[in-house]
Every structure is written in C-alpha cells, then in structure tokens.
Amino acid sequence: MRANSILTGLKEAKALNLRNNLEYIDTYSDYVKRTDNKTWSRGQKRFLDILYAKRRRSKKTQL
C-alpha cells in the first residue's frame, strides 16, 4: 500500500515538473518574440560571459 502511495506522489511531481517546464518555455519564447535582436543578443553574451568566467575560475582552483 505504501509503495503505491509513493509512486502516485512521484507521478504527480513528474506531471507538475512537466507543466512548470512547459510554462517556462512559453514565457521565454514570448520574451524572445517581444525583444529585439540587439537586446536579446546582449543578454545572451552577458550570460555566456558569466557562465564561462565561472568555469575558468573553477578550473584554476582545481589545479
């Protein structure tokens, strides 16, 4: 009986996660449609610069 309850909870969590992911995709695609290319590209560059800077810092600390 308890295993069935756990599986039901996991299925509900999985469904909620999927709904949240799809909602995020809809929101982000709406943002991309509304935003001009220059602004969107600037934001992407800033994000990637931060991402790769963190990766470089973590590699230096591992050496």
Side-chain angles (χ1 to χ4, degrees), residues 30-46:
D30 289 342
Y31 166 77
V32 170
K33 289 176 187 176
R34 286 188 324 245
T35 308
D36 64 302
N37 285 338
K38 189 174 183 178
T39 304
W40 183 84
S41 296
R42 189 180 316 120
Q44 290 297 305
K45 181 187 180 313
R46 192 174 325 137

